[in-house]
Structure formats: structure tokens, C-alpha cells
Amino acid sequence: MSRGLTLSDGTTRRWFRKNVNDFLNTLDPEVQFQRSIADLDKLPNIGNRLMVEFAIYTAASYRVMLKLGISKASARQTISDIGWDVYASLLRLSSFPFRLVTRDPAKRLRWTIQSLLRFPFTAPGAPGYAVKHWSDDQNIYTHFTHCPPQSFVRKLVQETGDQGDMDAFYDSWCMYDWPGSDVIANDGQRGHYRRKQTLSRGDPVCDMCWAAQIDPADRQVANGQ
């Protein structure tokens, strides 16, 4: 209700309480339908299932907004912004103990990411998360070769048709890591994350680097996100 939403015909309007209720009432059956596609019971552990459940709500919210006449671009932006509020809160909670005990951004990044790799990004291999990770004094590297939420969205598109779902997933999930790394480091700097390849863009790996040291080029890119 706090922002203007662009409709598919190009006009803009704000949602009132009735519009929000219509959204919520339409969301539940869409979530149930998408759960039937997700095959949650085939995932190896609760962390992987939890992340796919989040992806279901992201994808279902996007499609419901389209059903209610919101344009694809406006739906992507709105879902991305709402999702960021949730994701940032979870990152602050996950990194809080490490931010208490050290001011070193390298340690904050390394310890937080290592903790998240234990839960919820537990990586037993496909159909769950598959990741190779290592670290040095300043950086931690996580190269994901299988991502269950991304795989779910691809399956959704294959079975029901493409409504811009992968773009919506990319604009939210795949773009959170840049500001997310800055939340974890919490040193007042931008640009603690680098990635050249992305699974949801068709690449074979998400080659993530969570970096304590920032060079000028990385800061310029981060400020543009």
C-alpha cells in the first residue's frame, strides 16, 4: 500500500486493503499448486526444503501479481524489495554473533558464510545444494553448481510456461548477495561480493567471492547495484 504499482496497461495505482486481501486470498492456492511441482519430499534435508519453500512464495507472489493485472517489471521490483526486507533481517540475525565478537570484516564474512553452509545452505549435492568452498585470509569462496530454488523455478517454467519467472528470481534472489555481503561485513563499505557467473543465467556455476578487501572497481560496481 506504500507504493505505486504499474499495471499491464501502463497506468499506475496504489493498492488498498481490499487489493492486499485479494492478493493474499489468491496466493494460497498458487502456493499449494507450486508445492506440487517442487517435490519437496525429494530434497535431502530441512535446510534445502526451507529455501525451496521461500522460492515457492517468491514465485507464487510474482505470478499472483501478474494475475491481478500488475506489469511484469513492477511485479519483479515489488517482490524483490519485499524479499530483501526478509533476507536482510535473516542475514543480520545470522551474522549477529560474529559481529559481536570481531570487527574484522574478513572474519565476519568467513564465519557467517561457514555457518550458513551448515544451515540452511547444507550441501549434500544434487538434488540439494552442491558447493565447493574454501577461504584465505581475506576472502571466502563459494562455488555453487546446484541450487534447489533455481532448479525449482526452471521446472515451474518448463511445466507451466514462461511468464518471466526466471527474471523475477534473478532480480530478487540472485541480486541480494551484493548488499547482503555488506550487511555481514558491517564496516561501512560497499563491494564485499563478486560473481562473474550465475546458474539462473545459464552458467555452470555461481562463482561467488565474499571479499573483505575492496578495490576501487569493485566499489564502483557495488554502488551501482
Side-chain angles (χ1 to χ4, degrees):
M1 292 188 294
S2 64
R3 68 188 301 163
L5 299 174
T6 303
L7 306 185
S8 55
D9 64 6
T11 61
T12 301
R13 72 179 183 189
R14 294 184 182 275
W15 274 9
F16 298 139
R17 176 58 59 186
K18 178 184 182 301
N19 303 114
V20 175
N21 290 337
D22 288 343
F23 170 83
L24 294 174
N25 291 334
T26 311
L27 180 64
D28 186 61
E30 180 66 26
V31 166
Q32 297 300 328
F33 168 71
Q34 292 195 17
R35 280 201 190 111
S36 69
I37 295 176
D39 292 328
L40 291 169
D41 58 325
K42 294 183 179 179
L43 293 171
N45 55 58
I46 189 172
N48 285 217
R49 290 191 291 272
L50 176 64
M51 298 309 293
V52 173
E53 182 76 2
F54 283 153
I56 290 170
Y57 271 93
T58 302
S61 296
Y62 170 74
R63 287 205 168 187
V64 167
M65 295 196 81
L66 298 187
K67 289 180 181 179
L68 297 178
I70 306 302
S71 71
K72 290 181 179 180
S74 188
R76 287 198 308 268
Q77 183 182 34
T78 304
I79 297 303
S80 175
D81 288 348
I82 294 172
W84 168 246
D85 288 341
V86 177
Y87 189 76
S89 297
L90 293 175
L91 279 184
R92 291 187 185 99
L93 179 63
S94 300
S95 62
F96 179 69
F98 310 118
R99 288 187 284 112
L100 278 180
V101 300
T102 181
R103 296 179 64 86
D104 183 347
K107 291 180 178 178
R108 288 174 172 178
L109 286 162
R110 184 166 61 251
W111 293 347
T112 300
I113 299 303
Q114 288 172 344
S115 173
L116 291 172
L117 288 173
R118 295 186 182 95
F119 184 86
F121 299 98
T122 315
Y129 284 102
V131 58
K132 177 182 179 181
H133 63 91
W134 69 97
S135 60
D136 54 34
D137 289 340
Q138 293 296 321
N139 308 314
I140 179 167
Y141 305 87
T142 56
H143 285 198
F144 283 84
T145 54
H146 194 269
C147 170
Q150 183 263 163
S151 296
F152 154 70
V153 177
R154 286 197 181 279
K155 185 179 180 183
L156 176 68
V157 170
Q158 290 170 357
E159 296 194 7
T160 65
D162 187 3
Q163 299 186 37
D165 308 270
M166 190 56 69
D167 288 336
F169 180 82
Y170 178 83
D171 284 357
S172 55
W173 285 64
C174 302
M175 297 300 290
Y176 289 158
D177 293 323
W178 275 272
S181 64
D182 301 328
V183 169
I184 296 171
N186 195 36
D187 61 354
Q189 301 296 316
R190 300 293 301 272
H192 289 283
Y193 180 81
R194 297 190 291 270
R195 187 184 72 225
K196 295 182 179 179
Q197 300 184 78
T198 310
L199 288 168
S200 64
R201 283 300 193 232
D203 296 317
V205 62
C206 284
D207 53 348
M208 306 174 179
C209 173
W210 311 79
Q213 290 186 344
I214 306 167
D215 63 40
D218 292 327
R219 182 179 292 110
Q220 183 177 3
V221 171
N223 288 336
Q225 297 299 324

